[in-house]
Amino acid sequence: MDATINSVLAELLTVSLLNVEKREVLHAFLLRQRLSARMQQNGASSSNGSDGGGGDAERQSPSRSPLLPAATTRVRRFIQERRTLPLPKVMVVFSATGDAEKVSDAMADDDSRKPASPVAAAAAAATTVANVCRGKPSRCPLDARQEQEFPEVISLNVGGSHFTTRLSTLRRYDDTMLAAMFSGRHHIPRDADGRFFIDRDGTYFGDILNFLREGELPQHERVRAVHREAQYYSIAPLLERLEDMQPLTGEKVRQAFLDLLPYYKDNLERIVEIAKLRATQRKARLAKLKVCVYKEEMPITPYERPLFNALRPERAEGEAKLFEHHCDVDVSFGPWEAVADVYDLLHCIVGDLARRGIAAEQQCIGVCDKHLVSHYYCKRPIYEFKITWW
């Protein structure tokens, strides 16, 4: 009987945090088992007493037997009055890291705290688990902290394009976005067919995989696009190789030249805005504007330069300001100090407008020809830009 009682105690401790109603049923069953055991012992003692001692044992009531402790009488009174028996308050702390469990039991009377309903207990338990998992990962279930495992062959869905590769290929370089995604530390969604989904255009993802597999580089016309993808996936070795290829190498040289003109981007935006405004006002397909592009500040032709340099020391400070003026144009570029000349800058302007989808043509229509001082006139070239909108 004691073995049965101990097993019931163990079950009571196990389910005490899971189901309040089941805990009450088991607790009542335990008390009945103990009461039944006591009564059987008392009955056996009464039988022995009647055989040896006569009527004294018969007159002795089992309920008043000294063998029954006062606690048994109290339990019997609780059962007769159908009152709720006081339940042990058990707190069990689980540790996911293998630490020793700490269990503390506390007994409280029914008057101090009423047992919670099953719904309230379940809600409180769910809230506690959620708070613990968010605040202290070490107390979360082990399954929530396990790294995601991947098969050796990976099926990918990159923006609707399907690819198949090895896991080792995606992890070839440690400091890349793909290696981090498939390291197991991050969750990767799957599509309806079970492929790992990457929300990115997959047009050039094949070039990324070819480089990761055997270091293959894309074709010339795909270099710019693959370079953007390599930046997104943070593949530094591929970025270094692509930047040594055309047209990216030429772009670096061109950008070094444009850095000499810090106002270049602002002037480019101004060309677009003026052309858009004039086309809208005139309801025209074309818009024309004048652009001055000059490399040197000297308002003379190359043939007049020796004479101009000879007269420069004789100029007064006030006369020097006469050479500083703004040509009557919409936008001006210059001056700069580099080998690249005016035609190189014009090529940059037309090319950058074309990358934005704007068709532009330019032609020289003369010089500024503004009178400066004495017989010197401004010789900065003026170009007419024609912007076609449709």
Side-chain angles (χ1 to χ4, degrees):
M1 183 62 65
D2 293 339
T4 303
I5 294 175
N6 292 334
S7 63
V8 173
L9 278 172
E11 184 176 359
L12 174 61
L13 179 62
T14 303
V15 303
S16 60
L17 295 178
L18 302 179
N19 194 315
V20 177
E21 293 181 350
K22 189 174 181 180
R23 182 177 63 184
E24 295 178 356
V25 172
L26 290 175
H27 193 71
F29 172 75
L30 172 63
L31 294 176
R32 291 193 183 95
Q33 291 290 338
R34 287 182 174 176
L35 181 60
S36 176
R38 294 292 184 180
M39 294 180 65
Q40 289 179 3
Q41 292 178 2
N42 294 339
S45 300
S46 300
S47 300
N48 295 335
S50 62
D51 295 339
D56 293 338
E58 295 178 357
R59 290 191 300 269
Q60 187 177 7
S61 174
S63 62
R64 297 179 181 179
S65 175
L67 296 177
L68 290 177
T72 305
T73 305
R74 182 170 178 268
V75 170
R76 186 181 301 170
R77 184 170 65 253
F78 269 90
I79 295 176
Q80 292 175 355
E81 296 177 1
R82 295 182 179 180
R83 293 174 56 186
T84 304
L85 295 175
L87 301 178
K89 303 300 185 294
V90 182
M91 181 179 66
V92 182
V93 180
F94 298 95
S95 176
T97 57
D99 297 338
E101 296 184 354
K102 298 180 180 179
V103 182
S104 61
D105 301 337
M107 299 298 295
D109 293 337
D110 181 65
D111 297 337
S112 62
R113 180 177 297 180
K114 296 181 180 180
S117 63
V119 177
T127 304
T128 303
V129 171
N131 293 336
V132 171
C133 289
R134 285 195 300 266
K136 299 179 180 180
S138 61
R139 294 180 180 268
C140 295
L142 289 176
D143 294 340
R145 299 190 301 110
Q146 288 179 349
E147 294 185 352
Q148 186 177 4
E149 297 182 357
F150 299 97
E152 182 60 27
V153 179
I154 302 294
S155 296
L156 299 173
N157 180 353
V158 185
S161 301
H162 300 161
F163 301 90
T164 302
T165 186
R166 293 172 60 91
L167 180 62
S168 58
T169 300
L170 299 175
R171 295 177 175 176
R172 181 172 182 180
Y173 298 103
D174 296 334
D175 299 333
T176 64
M177 178 179 173
L178 292 174
M181 291 174 61
F182 290 91
S183 63
R185 301 188 302 270
H186 307 281
H187 172 72
I188 304 177
R190 295 173 179 259
D191 61 6
D193 297 327
R195 301 182 182 91
F196 294 101
F197 180 75
I198 300 177
D199 192 11
R200 183 74 174 177
D201 186 8
T203 304
Y204 302 99
F205 191 77
D207 297 277
I208 299 294
L209 286 181
N210 290 337
F211 177 79
L212 295 177
R213 287 166 178 159
E214 51 189 5
E216 180 180 345
L217 297 176
Q219 298 179 357
H220 173 79
E221 61 273 10
R222 300 169 68 93
V223 169
R224 290 184 184 272
V226 176
H227 185 266
R228 289 194 298 268
E229 298 301 307
Q231 288 178 327
Y232 176 79
Y233 294 109
S234 301
I235 307 177
L238 178 56
L239 290 173
E240 294 177 359
R241 297 283 300 276
L242 292 177
E243 289 174 358
D244 292 335
M245 297 178 57
Q246 282 286 71
L248 296 182
T249 300
E251 181 63 26
K252 292 171 63 176
V253 176
R254 189 182 82 100
Q255 190 60 45
F257 162 60
L258 294 179
D259 289 341
L260 300 176
L261 292 80
Y263 49 82
Y264 176 78
K265 292 183 179 180
D266 294 336
N267 285 359
L268 201 66
E269 291 294 334
R270 188 176 177 185
I271 290 176
V272 175
E273 292 299 328
I274 294 175
K276 185 188 304 183
L277 179 61
R278 290 180 180 176
T280 303
Q281 291 176 347
R282 300 173 183 177
K283 309 298 186 295
R285 185 172 67 94
L286 304 176
K288 298 180 180 181
L289 62 159
K290 295 180 179 181
V291 178
C292 178
V293 181
Y294 63 99
K295 179 179 178 181
E296 297 178 338
E297 185 65 40
M298 295 182 182
I300 58 174
T301 62
Y303 303 101
E304 299 174 321
R305 183 174 302 173
L307 180 60
F308 180 81
N309 291 336
L311 295 177
R312 179 180 298 180
E314 301 176 359
R315 288 186 300 158
E317 183 177 355
E319 294 179 349
K321 294 182 179 180
L322 296 176
F323 290 85
E324 300 176 1
H325 74 289
H326 297 283
C327 300
D328 187 15
V329 294
D330 298 305
V331 183
S332 294
F333 292 86
W336 67 86
E337 294 181 1
V339 177
D341 57 14
V342 172
Y343 298 101
D344 296 324
L345 183 58
L346 291 173
H347 183 272
C348 292
I349 296 173
V350 175
D352 288 336
L353 291 175
R355 291 189 183 94
R356 302 177 56 173
I358 301 176
E361 299 178 0
Q362 56 83 20
Q363 63 176 353
C364 183
I365 58 175
V367 294
C368 177
D369 206 26
K370 180 180 180 180
H371 181 260
L372 299 178
V373 60
S374 184
H375 62 281
Y376 293 103
Y377 295 83
C378 177
K379 302 301 181 180
R380 296 172 183 173
I382 306 300
Y383 295 86
E384 182 183 67
F385 273 71
K386 183 172 62 176
I387 308 298
T388 304
W389 290 108
W390 83 84

